[in-house]
Amino acid sequence: MHALRRLWHDTAGGLPATFWYLWAGLLINRAGAFAMLFLSLYLTDARGASESVAGTVVGAYGAGGAAGVLLGGVLADRWGRRATLLAAHLATAVLMVALAFSRPLLLIAALSALVGVVHSMPSPAFVAAIVDVVPAQRRSRAFNLQFWAFNLGMAVASLLAGVLAEASFTALFLVDAAATLTAAAVIGWKVPETLGRATGVPPAGPPTADRSPREGLHTALTDRTFLVFVGLTFVLAVLTLQTSTIMPLAMRADGLGPSAYGAVVALGGALIVLGQLFVPRLIDRHRKDVVLAVSTALLAIGFGVLAVADDLGVYLGAAVVWTVGSMLAAPPNAQINADLAPPHLRARYQSVFYLTFPAAAFVAPTLGGVSLQHLGDRHWLIVGGLGLLAALGHLLAGPPRDRHVAALRRDAGREPAPRVDRVRTG
């Protein structure tokens, strides 16, 4: 027990109160985030859509998210982090209620795209706010706890959603809306505006010596080193999103129902809840590019195994492998993103980074639905091969990125980065 308390103190000590309110809001939101996780099953089982149509509608959610994450980044740097979070959460609650009572597939597709917009808006604001208030030496642990909260909420959501989906799909949307409103209440009550606390730039502030009026999304979108990292993260997101887009359809084809799918997702969440606090110690003193290469390879192997899966036991075993990969990837991914972003463009860089997830949410189900329908189990071999190529890409991209980060630090008047860029956890 003493060892566990020491571990918690080493991991969570020294983090400001605002971080914990942001953390609590994220946890509440994810614990009730049932609906979009089960959207493909809802469309096929309750609305009678084919696998291809279901994939297209889920893809519309991803397409909306691509616009929403960019919008969220711009608004978080202009309006402020808190205002963006509140607006996105309130809009999400309204749209979830609308989805609960919608029946035509075209209307569901349109609402799904809008939900994608408002679901993705908070991501850059959440991370930018964390970077604003958490000291640099504690950020890796803060990101680790953020990932832990996200998956703790997902584990709770998956367990409850598996039961709710078999009783009432409508309840999924309504509970999601209620949880989103609760998260908005926590943020509105306890989270102050953080924009300007660390960057020195107030909301809608005028240009300064460090902030040209010509800077913005264009700066992030033309930063080659950053874009290589974003591209590799996109592949990671495509792999990860197999669990919520294509895997439910594959499990159904193997005769497994929503409760079995909920158990697989819940297992991944439980592993993260139990093990994520140990990750900083495990990856400390290792290069970020090596950690990301290993994590991506584990994801590739885990999903590749599904080519021979035909019962729940194989799915559960594969989930252990890809979940460990996801756990290892979270802290270095977030830390590299923070290292590459100029402070006054922090949310915009975050928005381009988080664009990978809604983009993957469009590509994974849209192409994956067709691939699964026509290639069957060979779909998982393609997914595994893509992941192994991305693992190699991380090893090749790491050294030049380390030199780029060192140059950014020298230009900012800080000490240069160490020759070997390592995951810093304390």
Side-chain angles (χ1 to χ4, degrees), residues 88-133:
H89 280 75
L90 293 175
T92 297
V94 172
L95 290 170
M96 282 297 173
V97 173
L99 269 173
F101 300 104
S102 297
R103 295 296 176 263
L105 285 175
L106 186 60
L107 178 59
I108 291 173
L111 290 172
S112 295
L114 292 175
V115 170
V117 172
V118 294
H119 256 184
S120 298
M121 282 175 59
S123 297
F126 262 123
V127 178
I130 290 172
V131 178
D132 288 344
V133 301

Side-chain angles (χ1 to χ4, degrees), residues 400-418:
R401 183 179 60 236
D402 293 346
R403 293 191 293 270
H404 180 71
V405 171
L408 288 176
R409 291 175 179 172
R410 286 194 299 270
D411 291 343
R414 295 188 290 269
E415 290 292 326

Side-chain angles (χ1 to χ4, degrees), residues 234-419:
F234 171 75
V235 177
L236 181 75
V238 169
L239 267 63
T240 302
L241 283 168
Q242 299 298 310
T243 58
S244 60
T245 57
I246 304 305
M247 191 181 72
L249 302 177
M251 293 185 72
R252 189 185 65 169
D254 288 332
L256 302 171
S259 59
Y261 169 61
V264 172
V265 177
L267 172 63
L271 289 173
I272 291 171
V273 170
L274 295 174
Q276 192 67 42
L277 295 181
F278 296 92
V279 167
R281 291 185 176 185
L282 181 64
I283 65 177
D284 196 14
R285 297 182 300 278
H286 293 287
R287 293 174 57 97
K288 297 190 189 88
D289 55 326
V290 174
V291 173
L292 288 173
V294 171
S295 66
T296 306
L298 288 173
L299 282 159
I301 294 169
F303 286 110
V305 166
L306 297 188
V308 296
D310 56 5
D311 59 46
L312 181 59
V314 178
Y315 280 99
L316 292 172
V320 172
V321 177
W322 75 58
T323 299
V324 172
S326 296
M327 291 166 64
L328 296 177
N333 247 337
Q335 190 175 344
I336 290 170
N337 191 26
D339 288 344
L340 292 173
H344 60 288
L345 298 175
R346 186 167 286 155
R348 286 174 172 86
Y349 265 68
Q350 293 292 340
S351 71
V352 174
F353 173 76
Y354 275 96
L355 181 63
T356 60
F357 300 101
F362 173 75
V363 170
T366 303
L367 297 183
V370 175
S371 174
L372 184 67
Q373 185 171 335
H374 295 285
L375 299 178
D377 289 337
R378 286 174 292 175
H379 164 79
W380 300 111
L381 296 178
I382 295 172
V383 171
L386 181 65
L388 293 177
L389 288 175
L392 176 61
H394 278 295
L395 294 177
L396 296 175
R401 183 179 60 236
D402 293 346
R403 293 191 293 270
H404 180 71
V405 171
L408 288 176
R409 291 175 179 172
R410 286 194 299 270
D411 291 343
R414 295 188 290 269
E415 290 292 326
R419 285 178 56 193

Side-chain angles (χ1 to χ4, degrees), residues 36-47:
M36 307 315 285
L37 183 66
F38 278 75
L39 183 59
S40 59
L41 290 178
Y42 167 68
L43 291 166
T44 53
D45 291 355
R47 301 275 72 85

